[in-house]
Amino acid sequence: MITTANIKNGVNVDQLVETIGAVQENPELAKFEFRSKNNWIEGGHCVSSIKSFYGVGAEDTSRQEIFTMECDHPNVLLGKDEAATPPEVVLHALGSCLTGAMVYHAAANGIEIEGAESSLKGGVDLHGFLGLDAEVRKGFDGIKVRIKVKSNSSVEQLENLAKFSPVFDMITNPTPVSIEIVK
């Protein structure tokens, strides 16, 4: 007997349903810890490496490769323009996560998505970062996301599915961050 996987939007819906059922039966399986190690090169140039994470009740051992990402700053911001800036990486993470959340949740709801592309932009006023004005925020003063989706679903439904994004939640709700400097 030949069976074919139930794939929608590139997502194996049967596995997704099994995962949901497993988490409902054992809520501890839902606990994940993602990690990144960052090394400073010079100026604003840094390289992060990512491999290990904890999830589904154990340390993951499936990843064979280490993923790396670099950040730098353009020349006008005293960098060497060797990589995207950290704020640009945040926009990348947000766009990727909004799209991924929308696609996965659409698949789970039987919604077909034929294509999706997004553009994101966020404004920053350097008065905050440079310490010139304590009233000016150091980060984005807002982020505008435009997602163009080819689907028969309603815009409202697709927007609600995208908002399942963990990165959207991290950005739109304060996330506690603790910093420990060690020597």
Side-chain angles (χ1 to χ4, degrees), residues 17 20 22 28 36 40 42 44 61 70 72 87 101 119-120 132 142 149 151 174:
V17 170
I20 292 168
E28 282 301 308
S36 173
W40 174 64
E42 69 174 337
T61 59
E70 293 186 46
D72 197 4
S119 58
L120 297 87
L132 299 174
V149 184
S151 174

Side-chain angles (χ1 to χ4, degrees), residues 2-181:
I2 298 175
T3 60
T4 58
N6 179 11
I7 305 292
K8 180 147 317 264
N9 305 331
V11 177
N12 186 319
V13 177
D14 295 332
Q15 284 182 333
L16 180 58
V17 170
E18 287 175 21
T19 299
I20 292 168
V23 169
Q24 286 174 324
E25 287 180 28
N26 185 355
E28 282 301 308
L29 295 177
K31 305 291 184 192
F32 276 70
E33 179 182 76
F34 296 104
R35 305 175 187 124
S36 173
K37 181 179 179 188
N38 184 272
N39 289 300
W40 174 64
I41 306 300
E42 69 174 337
H45 189 188
C46 295
V47 177
S48 291
S49 57
I50 299 168
K51 184 175 182 188
S52 68
F53 68 90
Y54 176 89
V56 195
E59 280 297 315
D60 178 76
T61 59
S62 67
R63 283 186 175 164
Q64 301 302 308
E65 301 292 324
I66 296 172
F67 300 113
T68 60
M69 291 178 275
E70 293 186 46
C71 282
D72 197 4
H73 294 84
N75 297 329
V76 70
L77 293 176
L78 309 179
K80 293 185 178 174
D81 208 13
E82 296 179 326
T85 65
E88 290 166 327
V89 173
V90 169
L91 294 177
H92 163 72
L94 178 60
S96 298
C97 200
L98 285 166
T99 302
M102 179 183 65
V103 167
Y104 273 70
H105 283 274
N109 287 284
I111 298 168
E112 181 96 19
I113 294 181
E114 296 178 47
E117 65 179 56
S118 58
S119 58
L120 297 87
K121 57 185 173 181
V124 174
D125 183 336
L126 290 183
H127 282 92
F129 172 73
L130 295 174
L132 299 174
D133 188 340
E135 300 296 314
V136 175
R137 187 178 173 148
K138 295 169 192 71
F140 287 130
D141 56 19
I143 297 174
K144 293 184 180 179
V145 180
R146 183 175 188 263
I147 307 173
K148 183 177 178 182
V149 184
K150 188 172 182 185
S151 174
N152 287 332
S153 184
S154 73
V155 167
E156 180 182 26
Q157 187 172 27
L158 293 169
E159 183 178 326
N160 289 334
L161 297 176
K163 288 181 178 177
F164 277 97
S165 159
V167 175
F168 175 78
D169 178 74
M170 288 179 229
I171 291 174
T172 59
N173 296 297
T175 300
V177 177
S178 63
I179 301 172
E180 175 187 10
I181 306 287

